[in-house]
PDB file of all heavy atoms in Angstrom:
ATOM      1  N   VAL A  23       8.133  14.267  -5.784  1.00  0.00           N
ATOM      2  CA  VAL A  23       8.195  14.223  -4.267  1.00  0.00           C
ATOM      3  C   VAL A  23       7.179  13.139  -3.769  1.00  0.00           C
ATOM      4  O   VAL A  23       6.055  13.285  -4.054  1.00  0.00           O
ATOM      5  CB  VAL A  23       7.998  15.615  -3.657  1.00  0.00           C
ATOM      6  CG1 VAL A  23       7.865  15.468  -2.204  1.00  0.00           C
ATOM      7  CG2 VAL A  23       8.963  16.609  -4.043  1.00  0.00           C
ATOM      8  N   PHE A  27       6.642  15.345   3.245  1.00  0.00           N
ATOM      9  CA  PHE A  27       5.493  16.348   3.255  1.00  0.00           C
ATOM     10  C   PHE A  27       5.405  16.718   4.778  1.00  0.00           C
ATOM     11  O   PHE A  27       5.492  15.869   5.645  1.00  0.00           O
ATOM     12  CB  PHE A  27       4.290  15.672   2.870  1.00  0.00           C
ATOM     13  CG  PHE A  27       4.186  15.545   1.359  1.00  0.00           C
ATOM     14  CD1 PHE A  27       4.168  14.283   0.804  1.00  0.00           C
ATOM     15  CD2 PHE A  27       4.077  16.681   0.509  1.00  0.00           C
ATOM     16  CE1 PHE A  27       4.118  14.143  -0.676  1.00  0.00           C
ATOM     17  CE2 PHE A  27       3.940  16.457  -0.886  1.00  0.00           C
ATOM     18  CZ  PHE A  27       4.031  15.284  -1.466  1.00  0.00           C
ATOM     19  N   GLY A 100       2.542   9.759  -2.165  1.00  0.00           N
ATOM     20  CA  GLY A 100       2.279  10.443  -0.969  1.00  0.00           C
ATOM     21  C   GLY A 100       0.870  10.914  -0.860  1.00  0.00           C
ATOM     22  O   GLY A 100       0.530  12.015  -0.440  1.00  0.00           O
ATOM     23  N   ILE A 101      -0.063  10.055  -1.246  1.00  0.00           N
ATOM     24  CA  ILE A 101      -1.435  10.381  -1.327  1.00  0.00           C
ATOM     25  C   ILE A 101      -2.065  10.920  -0.085  1.00  0.00           C
ATOM     26  O   ILE A 101      -2.721  11.932  -0.057  1.00  0.00           O
ATOM     27  CB  ILE A 101      -2.291   9.192  -1.971  1.00  0.00           C
ATOM     28  CG1 ILE A 101      -1.882   8.890  -3.316  1.00  0.00           C
ATOM     29  CG2 ILE A 101      -3.816   9.495  -1.911  1.00  0.00           C
ATOM     30  CD1 ILE A 101      -2.335   7.462  -3.835  1.00  0.00           C
ATOM     31  N   SER A 104       0.036  14.127   1.735  1.00  0.00           N
ATOM     32  CA  SER A 104       0.010  15.464   1.112  1.00  0.00           C
ATOM     33  C   SER A 104      -1.325  16.030   1.311  1.00  0.00           C
ATOM     34  O   SER A 104      -2.449  15.331   1.241  1.00  0.00           O
ATOM     35  CB  SER A 104       0.344  15.310  -0.367  1.00  0.00           C
ATOM     36  OG  SER A 104      -0.618  14.495  -1.050  1.00  0.00           O
ATOM     37  N   ILE A 106      -3.121  18.235  -0.295  1.00  0.00           N
ATOM     38  CA  ILE A 106      -4.022  18.444  -1.494  1.00  0.00           C
ATOM     39  C   ILE A 106      -3.679  17.534  -2.648  1.00  0.00           C
ATOM     40  O   ILE A 106      -2.407  17.346  -2.975  1.00  0.00           O
ATOM     41  CB  ILE A 106      -3.886  19.919  -1.950  1.00  0.00           C
ATOM     42  CG1 ILE A 106      -4.737  20.738  -0.861  1.00  0.00           C
ATOM     43  CG2 ILE A 106      -4.613  20.068  -3.305  1.00  0.00           C
ATOM     44  CD1 ILE A 106      -4.689  22.271  -1.171  1.00  0.00           C
ATOM     45  N   ASN A 107      -4.609  16.795  -3.237  1.00  0.00           N
ATOM     46  CA  ASN A 107      -4.368  16.060  -4.439  1.00  0.00           C
ATOM     47  C   ASN A 107      -5.130  16.828  -5.584  1.00  0.00           C
ATOM     48  O   ASN A 107      -6.154  17.442  -5.275  1.00  0.00           O
ATOM     49  CB  ASN A 107      -4.983  14.629  -4.278  1.00  0.00           C
ATOM     50  CG  ASN A 107      -4.291  13.796  -3.232  1.00  0.00           C
ATOM     51  OD1 ASN A 107      -4.665  12.615  -3.057  1.00  0.00           O
ATOM     52  ND2 ASN A 107      -3.258  14.306  -2.577  1.00  0.00           N
ATOM     53  N   ILE A 108      -4.555  16.694  -6.792  1.00  0.00           N
ATOM     54  CA  ILE A 108      -5.253  17.275  -7.965  1.00  0.00           C
ATOM     55  C   ILE A 108      -5.280  16.279  -9.066  1.00  0.00           C
ATOM     56  O   ILE A 108      -4.235  15.728  -9.419  1.00  0.00           O
ATOM     57  CB  ILE A 108      -4.495  18.590  -8.427  1.00  0.00           C
ATOM     58  CG1 ILE A 108      -4.367  19.618  -7.305  1.00  0.00           C
ATOM     59  CG2 ILE A 108      -5.132  19.182  -9.648  1.00  0.00           C
ATOM     60  CD1 ILE A 108      -3.564  20.828  -7.755  1.00  0.00           C
ATOM     61  N   GLY A 152       6.073  20.739  -2.694  1.00  0.00           N
ATOM     62  CA  GLY A 152       6.522  19.473  -3.340  1.00  0.00           C
ATOM     63  C   GLY A 152       5.290  18.931  -4.146  1.00  0.00           C
ATOM     64  O   GLY A 152       4.142  19.105  -3.685  1.00  0.00           O
ATOM     65  N   LEU A 153       5.591  18.187  -5.217  1.00  0.00           N
ATOM     66  CA  LEU A 153       4.503  17.625  -5.994  1.00  0.00           C
ATOM     67  C   LEU A 153       4.994  16.217  -6.431  1.00  0.00           C
ATOM     68  O   LEU A 153       6.158  16.024  -6.879  1.00  0.00           O
ATOM     69  CB  LEU A 153       4.283  18.516  -7.186  1.00  0.00           C
ATOM     70  CG  LEU A 153       3.219  18.000  -8.242  1.00  0.00           C
ATOM     71  CD1 LEU A 153       2.576  19.286  -8.935  1.00  0.00           C
ATOM     72  CD2 LEU A 153       3.668  17.020  -9.152  1.00  0.00           C
ATOM     73  N   GLY A 154       4.196  15.246  -6.259  1.00  0.00           N
ATOM     74  CA  GLY A 154       4.449  13.900  -6.731  1.00  0.00           C
ATOM     75  C   GLY A 154       3.305  13.442  -7.715  1.00  0.00           C
ATOM     76  O   GLY A 154       2.081  13.583  -7.408  1.00  0.00           O
ATOM     77  N   VAL A 156       1.402  10.481  -9.305  1.00  0.00           N
ATOM     78  CA  VAL A 156       1.121   9.042  -9.046  1.00  0.00           C
ATOM     79  C   VAL A 156       0.521   8.432 -10.343  1.00  0.00           C
ATOM     80  O   VAL A 156      -0.627   8.783 -10.719  1.00  0.00           O
ATOM     81  CB  VAL A 156       0.173   8.821  -7.900  1.00  0.00           C
ATOM     82  CG1 VAL A 156      -0.031   7.307  -7.616  1.00  0.00           C
ATOM     83  CG2 VAL A 156       0.705   9.517  -6.596  1.00  0.00           C
ATOM     84  N   TYR A 179      -2.586  12.349 -11.684  1.00  0.00           N
ATOM     85  CA  TYR A 179      -3.058  12.408 -10.264  1.00  0.00           C
ATOM     86  C   TYR A 179      -1.841  12.853  -9.450  1.00  0.00           C
ATOM     87  O   TYR A 179      -0.839  12.167  -9.357  1.00  0.00           O
ATOM     88  CB  TYR A 179      -3.561  11.032  -9.744  1.00  0.00           C
ATOM     89  CG  TYR A 179      -4.286  11.170  -8.418  1.00  0.00           C
ATOM     90  CD1 TYR A 179      -5.592  11.542  -8.495  1.00  0.00           C
ATOM     91  CD2 TYR A 179      -3.571  11.041  -7.169  1.00  0.00           C
ATOM     92  CE1 TYR A 179      -6.314  11.672  -7.266  1.00  0.00           C
ATOM     93  CE2 TYR A 179      -4.285  11.165  -6.074  1.00  0.00           C
ATOM     94  CZ  TYR A 179      -5.683  11.491  -6.093  1.00  0.00           C
ATOM     95  OH  TYR A 179      -6.355  11.631  -4.887  1.00  0.00           O
ATOM     96  N   LEU A 180      -1.969  14.147  -8.988  1.00  0.00           N
ATOM     97  CA  LEU A 180      -0.859  14.807  -8.382  1.00  0.00           C
ATOM     98  C   LEU A 180      -1.071  14.988  -6.787  1.00  0.00           C
ATOM     99  O   LEU A 180      -2.186  15.303  -6.435  1.00  0.00           O
ATOM    100  CB  LEU A 180      -0.668  16.239  -9.032  1.00  0.00           C
ATOM    101  CG  LEU A 180      -0.690  16.191 -10.549  1.00  0.00           C
ATOM    102  CD1 LEU A 180      -0.632  17.708 -11.039  1.00  0.00           C
ATOM    103  CD2 LEU A 180       0.573  15.426 -11.055  1.00  0.00           C
ATOM    104  N   CYS A 181      -0.011  14.880  -6.095  1.00  0.00           N
ATOM    105  CA  CYS A 181      -0.006  15.073  -4.627  1.00  0.00           C
ATOM    106  C   CYS A 181       0.825  16.259  -4.232  1.00  0.00           C
ATOM    107  O   CYS A 181       2.002  16.247  -4.609  1.00  0.00           O
ATOM    108  CB  CYS A 181       0.540  13.820  -3.918  1.00  0.00           C
ATOM    109  SG  CYS A 181      -0.411  12.372  -4.390  1.00  0.00           S
ATOM    110  N   LEU A 182       0.216  17.279  -3.597  1.00  0.00           N
ATOM    111  CA  LEU A 182       0.958  18.538  -3.354  1.00  0.00           C
ATOM    112  C   LEU A 182       0.977  18.802  -1.872  1.00  0.00           C
ATOM    113  O   LEU A 182      -0.041  18.643  -1.136  1.00  0.00           O
ATOM    114  CB  LEU A 182       0.326  19.667  -4.034  1.00  0.00           C
ATOM    115  CG  LEU A 182       0.436  19.799  -5.544  1.00  0.00           C
ATOM    116  CD1 LEU A 182      -0.629  18.959  -6.239  1.00  0.00           C
ATOM    117  CD2 LEU A 182       0.307  21.258  -6.002  1.00  0.00           C
ATOM    118  N   GLY A 183       2.050  19.405  -1.376  1.00  0.00           N
ATOM    119  CA  GLY A 183       2.255  19.835  -0.023  1.00  0.00           C
ATOM    120  C   GLY A 183       3.535  20.479   0.226  1.00  0.00           C
ATOM    121  O   GLY A 183       4.475  20.285  -0.538  1.00  0.00           O
TER     122      GLY A 183
END
Side-chain angles (χ1 to χ4, degrees):
Chain A
V23 172
F27 287 111
I101 297 166
S104 59
I106 290 176
N107 293 182
I108 302 178
L153 182 154
V156 184
Y179 193 84
L180 310 174
C181 304
L182 287 84

